[in-house]
Amino acid sequence: MKRSAGFLLQFLPLLAALVVVVTAGSGRVSAQQPDLLYVCVQDDAKVAVVDMATRKVLRTIDFQALGFPATAKPHYVVVEPDGSYWYVSLIGANRVLKMDRQDKIAGQYEMETPGMLALSGTKHLAATRSMSAVNPPKRIAIIDRTTMKGDEVEVLFARPHPMAATATYAYTGSLGVNQIASISLADQKVNVTNVPGPNHSFVQFVVSQKVPVLVASTDVSGQILWFDIATPASPMLIKTIDVGKMAFDPVLTPDEKFVWVPVKSSNELVVISTDTAEVVARIKDDNLKQPQQIAFSSDGAWAFVTNNNKMDHMADPAMAGHAMPASDGMASLVVINTKTMKVDQAIPLGRNLTGMGTARK
């Protein structure tokens, strides 16, 4: 017995170390897994997967290799909170794809010229129409994420493009008229709200997770609109902020103290305080070339910005003095230090970077 006890004692340090590793594996190790960015390289029919910590491209998904055309145009990405699946709209292939962790197709939904996407709760995926679609159906899609089956819901106005969602409602707006729609996900009842002011042309929405507020960006009026959604079916406009024409995808910082907005007409990022709803900073840099979307690192220390660097009808602000590229060029993912508000790095990824989604590990 003494010999057996001594024999076991030799392995106690190893066993203790093993317990530490296993315990860490349930917590600290998972926390050390990388935050990933799924970045749409629209004109190359690819999505680049970028490690946000190392800023390295881990892999690239080529949709032509998956059987889609060179004009598939992956445009926007959303990711399940646990990173188990990600979803991408393919404008040119008329598909919304569900992809697994191994970047394999796990399901798909067919719809004409899909554009923006939003997750709602644990069940729904809402999809709108592409900004490039001239006369798409006056409908959005409400899709079951498990089955990738769904229904198209009439929203009554032309060119529904922006999309944001809470656990119970989806919100879209029109590129053509000053109207937004609130869609109850329980019964798909639609309520349309008229919005005052000049022609806005709504681009994208973001909703707060802390207070009942929806923030909308606009193409034509160049305004950011603040809506109270305490009554979810009837958003109430409470503030307008001038930022510049072609204001694209607004995003809240992780602490929700600020909204950052890319403004294509002036190649800058506008930072707005959520406390005062006032512009507090404008970030300019030569690497910002038609910035479209922003994503933040988990700690909010870094902002990642997609850029189009593309001459087309959505990039041209028809504005004197704005230097447009002579032709479509290499576009970069620009990394900004949120404390200094200075560009730290520009990572070339391909032609026309558009939407992106973040996977938190």
Side-chain angles (χ1 to χ4, degrees), residues 30-311:
S30 62
Q32 292 171 357
Q33 296 300 310
D35 284 352
L36 303 179
L37 272 180
Y38 292 85
V39 185
C40 291
V41 189
Q42 183 168 298
D43 289 4
D44 292 342
K46 295 177 180 178
V47 165
V49 184
V50 178
D51 184 323
M52 296 178 77
T54 65
R55 305 177 190 174
K56 301 295 185 184
V57 177
L58 301 180
R59 58 190 183 273
T60 301
I61 297 91
D62 185 340
F63 288 96
Q64 292 186 74
L66 295 177
F68 296 97
T71 55
K73 296 183 179 179
H75 181 70
Y76 201 78
V77 172
V78 291
V79 186
E80 291 284 357
D82 64 359
S84 56
Y85 295 99
W86 56 280
Y87 307 84
V88 58
S89 55
L90 302 183
I91 299 172
N94 295 323
R95 294 288 190 282
V96 176
L97 299 184
K98 177 180 182 178
M99 311 291 290
D100 65 17
R101 290 184 193 271
Q102 290 72 45
D103 307 323
K104 304 296 184 185
I105 298 174
Q108 55 186 292
Y109 181 84
E110 184 174 359
M111 64 181 291
E112 184 178 332
T113 58
M116 311 303 274
L117 306 173
L119 301 178
S120 172
T122 59
K123 180 179 181 181
H124 293 108
L125 170 68
T128 61
R129 307 294 172 171
S130 168
M131 194 174 191
S132 61
V134 177
N135 189 29
K138 298 177 181 180
R139 302 188 297 270
I140 67 166
I142 304 297
I143 305 163
D144 184 304
R145 303 204 305 259
T146 301
T147 64
M148 289 302 288
K149 298 183 183 300
D151 298 304
E152 292 199 6
V153 180
E154 293 280 352
V155 294
L156 306 176
F157 50 65
R159 303 186 70 195
H161 178 68
M163 173 49 61
T166 66
T168 55
Y169 273 81
Y171 296 92
T172 189
S174 174
L175 288 165
V177 297
N178 285 1
Q179 292 182 325
I180 61 177
S182 311
I183 303 99
S184 168
L185 295 172
D187 56 14
Q188 297 187 354
K189 182 178 180 180
V190 177
N191 186 64
V192 174
T193 299
N194 293 315
V195 181
N199 179 27
H200 291 302
S201 188
F202 292 110
V203 174
Q204 179 58 328
F205 297 161
V206 65
V207 292
S208 168
Q209 301 301 310
K210 296 182 179 180
V211 294
V213 165
L214 179 147
V215 179
S217 63
T218 63
D219 182 14
V220 177
S221 70
Q223 294 180 339
I224 297 299
L225 282 67
W226 229 261
F227 292 90
D228 183 325
I229 53 172
T231 303
S234 303
M236 181 175 64
L237 180 64
I238 55 177
K239 177 89 175 187
T240 61
I241 307 158
D242 291 321
V243 296
K245 291 183 182 297
M246 300 189 74
F248 264 60
D249 302 2
V251 62
L252 285 153
T253 55
D255 59 12
E256 295 205 353
K257 291 183 178 180
F258 301 96
V259 174
W260 286 40
V261 185
V263 181
K264 288 189 182 183
S265 65
S266 54
N267 286 334
E268 65 183 339
L269 308 179
V270 174
V271 182
I272 302 169
S273 166
T274 55
D275 287 336
T276 64
E278 300 288 345
V279 174
V280 296
R282 288 179 178 265
I283 302 171
K284 286 181 173 288
D285 190 275
D286 289 344
N287 289 291
L288 295 172
K289 298 177 179 180
Q290 294 114 36
Q292 177 152 329
Q293 192 183 352
I294 304 164
F296 292 98
S297 58
S298 296
D299 59 6
W302 302 99
F304 295 76
V305 187
T306 57
N307 292 267
N308 303 149
N309 194 23
K310 179 180 175 64
M311 173 87 86

